[in-house]
Amino acid sequence: MVKTLARSVREYKKPALLTPLLVSVEVVLECIIPFIIADLVNDMQAGCDLSTIVNYGIELVIMAILSLVFGVAAGNTCATASTGFAKNLRKDMFYRIQDYSFENIDKFSVSSLVTRMTTDVINVQMAFMMIIRIAIRCPLMLIFSFVMGFAMGGRLAMIFLVTIPLLGFGLFLVIRKATPIFRRVFRKYDALNDSVQENVQAMRVVKSYVREEYEKKKFAGAAEDVCRDFTKAERIMAINNPMMQFCVYAAMVFVLSFGSYAVITSQGSEVAVGQMSAILTYSFQILMSLMMLSMVFVMITMSLESAERIVEVLGEESTLSSPGNAVDCVKDGSIDFDNVSFKYSTKAERMALEGVNLHIKSGEVIGILGGTGSSKSTLVQLIPRLYDTTEGSVKVGGVDVRDYDLEVLRNNVAMVLQKNVLFSGTIKDNLRWGNPDATDEEMLQACKLAQADEFIQTFPDKYDTWIEQGGANVSGGQKQRLCIARALLKNPKILILDDSTSAVDTRTDALIRQGFREFIPETTKIIIAQRVASVQDADRIIVMEGGRINAVGTHEELLETSDIYREVYTSQTKAGDEDGEE
């Protein structure tokens, strides 16, 4: 885990290594100061002159200034290293997620990934900051003060041999109790964020069904659950402070009592007043170091679960990758499914697709029809290798998709989904997702082909119109047409429309399909639809049922041979006639 996280330090390695060095010098200077003060007190007691006191004062001022300079420098390098580490950690996680296959993404929820990149990274950043500064400072201060305390006070320093093991044992018990609770809390954080995300995304549904109060209660319950566990963990961690305070004051009482007794009875021969003051200072430094060390342990305890969750994301290998000698050219848009079966998980009890054999020529228009859950979308997702087949093979251009370079394959297969996404930016910005180098003329042609130019021209800023996040300021039909235009700009050899004209009227749908036939005849076009009208002029129509191909043929052939197709066509035609009569 440490090795994986350490890779994200990278260019911030220098300040990360410099911080402990600066802290070490700061600690040495702080530990020398009480020693000088002890000498000063003893010399004053012996009756030294003013010049000696001035010299001691100059030494102390110089030591204090140097300690301050090194402390400030350590703070700066520590801040640079910790914030840079967090930046790289988020970047590494985000880059890793971009390489995930759909199967990898299915393993994590979106809310969990968001929590890991925000809350978990902050926890690890705080722990890293404490490790390179406070976790170095405290043990060094502890050791130096302990040595100096023994050198100055001898037997009086024996109190530290009692308090340190006692505190160490107490810290061990606290951490042992708190760690499982923190692990449980972070899982509940995921559930809490999941509730927020679901509510915000479905806000229109929540309001239309007047379920605000229900959602409030659901969120309050999740928040209360997190609060309850966190409170329990914090109560355990809070034992640290009183335990530390008890040891601090107990040591102080012991040093003051026995130290004063030793000074008085020996009249300074065994323990001088200066030594007494130094021991008090060192004992305070030792116990404050222990207290700060306990804070480090608390932060590390909290961050351990966060670190494991981050490493889980960084360590997740994509289930899809390009082979060593990948094919870097797609010859044409032909597609072959050879005895293909597929399931989303190895633990799944049944196949989503089973025994699919299908051969599509380059340039063909293929329609796919089927009920909900018939695996229409699953079938086409195997073409750009968003998933790998469980059995059998899928070939594009005569080559198994697993032999292609992934980027090359996906650049030649354009998919337009029913719920495609537009990003915040201008219409041009969104269109250039299909081709970053597209000219204005190419974008205009693609939009005309997708029947999008007509409504774009009605906007005051035309192609420079700003699109809100998710395309919130355009209608569903407009969004779909912009997504189709974006896909066309890729100049793909295969174009897949996954129910992506469901929000446009039948006339516009027909014009889009007509444009495809006239302007991109060599591109293989696969159209998944619920409306028979959207696929009836296709070269062939595939009817799917229960993850299998039920029938294949033209519109006329399927009306004669397929009961499913005929039933769908009849029901939609009858519904259309009734609408016309109304």
Side-chain angles (χ1 to χ4, degrees):
M1 182 174 69
V2 174
K3 188 177 179 181
T4 302
L5 293 174
R7 294 193 192 106
S8 296
V9 178
R10 291 198 292 277
E11 70 269 29
Y12 298 98
K13 192 177 290 183
K14 183 179 177 181
L17 294 174
L18 195 57
T19 300
L21 181 62
L22 293 169
V23 166
S24 300
V25 178
E26 179 192 10
V27 168
V28 171
L29 291 168
E30 284 188 20
C31 287
I32 292 173
I33 289 173
F35 186 80
I36 296 172
I37 292 173
D39 286 344
L40 171 60
V41 171
N42 289 335
D43 285 353
M44 288 174 66
Q45 190 179 13
C48 67
D49 56 20
L50 183 62
S51 62
T52 303
I53 296 173
V54 170
N55 289 334
Y56 274 116
I58 292 171
E59 281 184 49
L60 289 171
V61 169
I62 292 171
M63 298 291 282
I65 290 172
L66 287 174
S67 177
L68 177 65
V69 168
F70 279 99
V72 170
N76 286 332
T77 54
C78 180
T80 301
S82 60
T83 54
F85 168 66
K87 179 199 74 174
N88 285 345
L89 202 54
R90 287 193 183 95
K91 179 181 175 182
D92 293 345
M93 290 175 72
F94 187 77
Y95 280 26
R96 174 66 71 175
I97 291 167
Q98 296 306 302
D99 291 334
Y100 280 178
S101 66
F102 278 18
E103 185 177 340
N104 295 118
I105 293 172
D106 291 342
K107 182 178 177 180
F108 302 96
S109 69
V110 175
S111 58
S112 177
L113 290 173
V114 170
T115 304
R116 291 169 200 241
M117 292 185 67
T118 51
T119 305
D120 288 337
V121 170
I122 290 171
N123 287 339
V124 171
Q125 176 188 345
M126 292 297 294
F128 179 72
M129 181 179 68
M130 286 188 167
I131 286 168
I132 63 174
R133 190 179 184 189
I134 300 175
I136 298 295
R137 175 186 171 82
C138 293
L140 284 176
M141 180 67 77
L142 193 67
I143 293 167
F144 278 117
S145 296
F146 193 72
V147 171
M148 296 297 287
F150 260 101
M152 298 295 291
R155 287 179 298 170
L156 284 177
M158 294 296 289
I159 184 65
F160 304 135
L161 295 178
V162 178
T163 56
I164 290 173
L166 181 66
L167 288 172
F169 181 69
L171 282 173
F172 170 75
L173 291 179
V174 166
I175 292 168
R176 187 178 180 183
K177 289 283 185 182
T179 301
I181 300 174
F182 280 121
R183 184 173 290 118
R184 190 166 66 241
V185 164
F186 284 113
R187 291 198 188 98
K188 290 181 179 180
Y189 255 134
D190 289 346
L192 185 68
N193 288 342
D194 198 29
S195 175
V196 174
Q197 179 194 356
E198 184 181 56
N199 181 269
V200 172
Q201 286 182 340
M203 185 60 72
R204 289 177 176 83
V205 178
V206 172
K207 289 189 176 299
S208 64
Y209 282 89
V210 197
R211 297 285 282 178
E212 291 92 341
E213 289 304 317
Y214 170 79
E215 288 294 320
K216 287 177 184 177
K217 289 178 182 178
K218 187 171 75 171
F219 177 81
E224 181 63 32
D225 203 14
V226 171
C227 177
R228 188 165 45 249
D229 276 357
F230 241 126
T231 303
K232 187 176 180 181
E234 291 294 345
R235 279 176 180 165
I236 295 172
M237 303 305 288
I239 296 172
N240 271 325
N241 196 47
M243 186 169 58
M244 287 292 172
Q245 293 290 344
F246 173 78
C247 290
V248 167
Y249 291 122
M252 288 293 185
V253 168
F254 177 85
V255 171
L256 282 170
S257 301
F258 289 92
S260 301
Y261 177 78
V263 170
I264 294 168
T265 54
S266 67
Q267 294 184 348
S269 61
E270 184 179 339
V271 179
V273 175
Q275 288 174 293
M276 177 71 179
S277 67
I279 293 169
L280 280 172
T281 305
Y282 286 130
S283 64
F284 183 75
Q285 286 181 342
I286 286 171
L287 295 167
M288 286 305 295
S289 297
L290 286 169
M291 190 174 292
M292 293 299 291
L293 204 56
S294 75
M295 290 175 60
V296 174
F297 276 115
V298 169
M299 193 63 237
I300 291 175
T301 302
M302 287 180 61
S303 65
L304 274 175
E305 178 61 20
S306 292
E308 288 178 6
R309 284 155 55 85
I310 289 170
V311 169
E312 190 179 3
V313 173
L314 292 174
E316 181 76 9
E317 294 292 336
S318 176
T319 55
L320 302 178
S321 59
S322 301
N325 298 315
V327 178
D328 59 4
C329 179
V330 179
K331 184 177 67 174
D332 57 41
S334 61
I335 305 167
D336 298 289
F337 287 81
D338 294 321
N339 198 30
V340 168
S341 295
F342 169 78
K343 57 182 176 180
Y344 285 97
S345 168
T346 54
K347 298 177 182 178
E349 295 181 359
R350 59 180 292 274
M351 295 285 187
L353 287 171
E354 193 168 0
V356 175
N357 286 284
L358 179 65
H359 304 284
I360 301 170
K361 297 176 183 177
S362 184
E364 266 193 302
V365 179
I366 300 295
I368 302 180
L369 208 68
T372 302
S374 58
S375 297
K376 305 184 295 296
S377 296
T378 304
L379 179 74
V380 296
Q381 284 175 351
L382 298 178
I383 298 171
R385 206 186 167 202
L386 298 178
Y387 292 98
D388 268 343
T389 61
T390 305
E391 297 173 6
S393 66
V394 178
K395 295 178 182 177
V396 170
V399 177
D400 194 313
V401 293
R402 290 169 288 198
D403 295 331
Y404 279 112
D405 178 86
L406 270 174
E407 190 173 334
V408 169
L409 174 65
R410 290 173 183 173
N411 273 331
N412 282 275
V413 181
M415 286 190 71
V416 186
L417 308 175
Q418 181 183 5
K419 294 182 180 179
N420 234 312
V421 176
L422 293 176
F423 298 88
S424 54
T426 64
I427 289 176
K428 284 183 179 179
D429 293 336
N430 275 277
L431 292 174
R432 286 198 172 106
W433 274 69
N435 179 4
D437 302 318
T439 64
D440 289 350
E441 290 75 18
E442 288 171 333
M443 285 189 281
L444 180 64
Q445 183 181 0
C447 286
K448 283 183 176 179
L449 191 57
Q451 303 301 310
D453 180 65
E454 183 180 350
F455 73 80
I456 293 173
Q457 295 298 337
T458 64
F459 296 147
D461 295 325
K462 309 243 178 338
Y463 283 80
D464 291 315
T465 299
W466 185 264
I467 300 295
E468 300 293 340
Q469 185 178 11
N473 59 332
V474 291
S475 69
Q478 290 171 339
K479 189 189 299 185
Q480 285 186 338
R481 281 176 278 175
L482 286 172
C483 290
I484 292 171
R486 182 173 65 187
L488 291 172
L489 281 170
K490 291 181 73 172
N491 294 317
K493 287 188 168 62
I494 300 170
L495 176 63
I496 300 171
L497 305 181
D498 188 354
D499 206 11
S500 53
T501 57
S502 58
V504 302
D505 58 84
T506 53
R507 175 183 170 277
T508 304
D509 187 10
L511 288 172
I512 292 171
R513 286 183 281 111
Q514 182 183 342
F516 288 168
R517 282 191 175 277
E518 293 176 0
F519 294 99
I520 50 171
E522 295 180 1
T523 299
T524 304
K525 296 162 281 290
I526 300 176
I527 302 170
I528 297 176
Q530 299 293 336
R531 296 185 302 218
V532 171
S534 298
V535 297
Q536 70 180 44
D537 58 349
D539 296 323
R540 282 185 295 162
I541 302 168
I542 300 166
V543 179
M544 296 197 67
E545 184 184 28
R548 293 175 174 272
I549 294 178
N550 178 270
V552 180
T554 62
H555 171 67
E556 290 76 15
E557 290 170 349
L558 291 175
L559 282 176
E560 294 180 6
T561 59
S562 173
D563 293 336
I564 296 174
Y565 186 83
R566 187 165 52 249
E567 183 181 341
V568 173
Y569 176 74
T570 303
S571 63
Q572 290 184 4
T573 304
K574 187 181 294 183
D577 292 341
E578 289 175 356
D579 290 342
E581 289 174 6
E582 291 176 3

